[in-house]
């Protein structure tokens, strides 16, 4: 595993790339002067993502994951997604409050545009540049590749405790970011594990799938949010210190199914334009 200023990276040979924008738990030293940030230090936003990240190393799947907590900067939000008011921001690029409405800054100390720009330069851009490089490397090896973006909007949302939430939310930029046969392969695996799912529900328009998905160029992208009972199981196992063998087995079956589906797709017409610029919106 390669450790970087923005996160961690493992390069492998599978046509699948896991992108983990919400697995970070670190807080930069300059923010720890605020007592509320010291409480956030070490909190896990995406336990399912951490389990899949560990499984990926056992199964030859590339993975790029964040180092810093998503409340510091959300790597699955466009750089221009900033609230009109800095005083209450629970879901933008740099949050001012936790999901439960707890303030992260003293009054008047919310991050300025200059501070947000500095975080974008230090963390957001290097993370997405690494994703773009690994995407291009894998595409040069395979006719079709798939980016699986795991994220924790359920945890980050003030509505995280909603009753009867689906176990798995899947986003494909409303069908534009990947071949539907890959979605079918994923939902069949979710169903085989006895889970419920929704395709293009509340994360239909999430940033990364729209940003990276180019099926005509052999680049497919799906957002996956593990929520509901499934997320709760990951949380319980993590708190209990279990080694999550079941997650490893489920991940192996998922990777195998998606790799088989990728092999059955026709070769893409072109690999041109993959060294795309990283801005803050779809290229």
């Amino acid at each position: 595993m390669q450790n970087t200023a923005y996160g961690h990276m493992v390069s492998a040979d599978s046509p699948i790339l896991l992108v983990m924008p919400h697995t970070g738990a670190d807080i930069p030293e300059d923010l720890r002067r605020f007592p509320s940030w010291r409480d956030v230090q070490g909190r896990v936003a995406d336990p399912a993502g951490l389990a899949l990240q560990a499984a990926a190393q056992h199964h030859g799947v590339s993975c790029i994951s964040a180092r810093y907590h998503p409340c510091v900067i959300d790597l699955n939000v466009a750089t221009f997604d900033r609230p009109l008011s800095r005083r209450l921001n629970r879901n933008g690029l740099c949050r001012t409050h936790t999901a439960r409405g707890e303030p992260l800054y003293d009054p008047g100390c919310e991050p300025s545009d200059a501070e947000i720009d500095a975080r974008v330069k230090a963390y957001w851009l290097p993370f997405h540049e690494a994703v773009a490089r690994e995407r291009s490397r894998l595409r040069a090896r395979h006719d079709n590749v798939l980016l699986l973006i795991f994220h924790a909007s359920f945890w980050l949302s003030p509505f995280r405790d909603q009753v009867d939430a689906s176990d798995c939310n899947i986003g494909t930029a409303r069908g534009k970011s990947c071949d539907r046969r890959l979605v079918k392969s994923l939902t069949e695996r979710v169903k085989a594990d006895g889970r419920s799912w929704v395709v293009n529900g509340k994360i239909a328009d999430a940033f990364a799938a729209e940003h990276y998905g180019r099926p005509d160029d052999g680049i497919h992208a799906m957002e996956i949010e593990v929520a509901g009972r499934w997320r709760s199981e990951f949380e319980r196992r993590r708190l209990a210190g279990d080694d999550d063998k079941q997650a490893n087995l489920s991940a192996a079956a998922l990777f195998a199914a998606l790799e088989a589906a990728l092999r059955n797709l026709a070769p893409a017409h072109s690999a041109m334009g993959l060294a795309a610029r990283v801005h803050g919106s779809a290229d």
Side-chain angles (χ1 to χ4, degrees), residues 122-136:
Y123 312 129
W124 198 101
L125 283 171
F127 181 89
H128 286 282
E129 286 167 354
V131 172
R133 287 193 300 272
E134 186 66 4
R135 170 196 65 176
S136 296

Side-chain angles (χ1 to χ4, degrees), residues 75-137:
L75 302 175
N76 199 20
V77 169
T79 58
F80 53 75
D81 190 349
R82 308 182 188 190
L84 295 176
S85 171
R86 297 193 184 96
R87 292 178 296 175
L88 182 60
N89 174 17
R90 298 185 191 182
N91 57 12
L93 185 64
C94 296
R95 290 167 170 77
T96 61
H97 290 68
T98 68
R100 291 188 171 88
E102 304 155 319
L104 292 168
Y105 299 88
D106 294 341
C109 295
E110 296 84 2
S112 65
D113 283 342
E115 290 172 306
I116 293 174
D117 288 341
R119 293 186 202 178
V120 168
K121 183 178 180 180
Y123 312 129
W124 198 101
L125 283 171
F127 181 89
H128 286 282
E129 286 167 354
V131 172
R133 287 193 300 272
E134 186 66 4
R135 170 196 65 176
S136 296
R137 185 186 73 84

Side-chain angles (χ1 to χ4, degrees), residues 205-218:
D205 301 308
F207 166 75
E210 181 180 0
H211 185 71
Y212 288 111
R214 294 183 176 183
D216 289 344
D217 290 332

Side-chain angles (χ1 to χ4, degrees), residues 182-232:
L182 297 173
V183 180
K184 183 175 185 291
S185 180
L186 174 60
T187 56
E188 285 177 348
R189 283 307 318 161
V190 171
K191 182 179 180 180
D193 284 338
R195 309 296 180 184
S196 60
W197 72 91
V198 172
V199 177
N200 288 322
K202 65 177 182 176
I203 63 170
D205 301 308
F207 166 75
E210 181 180 0
H211 185 71
Y212 288 111
R214 294 183 176 183
D216 289 344
D217 290 332
I219 303 293
H220 307 264
M222 280 195 286
E223 306 262 359
I224 301 176
E225 177 195 28
V226 174
R229 293 179 297 107
W230 201 1
R231 181 197 163 84
S232 297

Side-chain angles (χ1 to χ4, degrees), residues 12-27:
D13 293 329
S14 169
I16 297 172
L17 169 60
L18 296 185
V19 182
M20 306 294 195
H22 294 157
T23 51
D26 284 359
I27 304 299

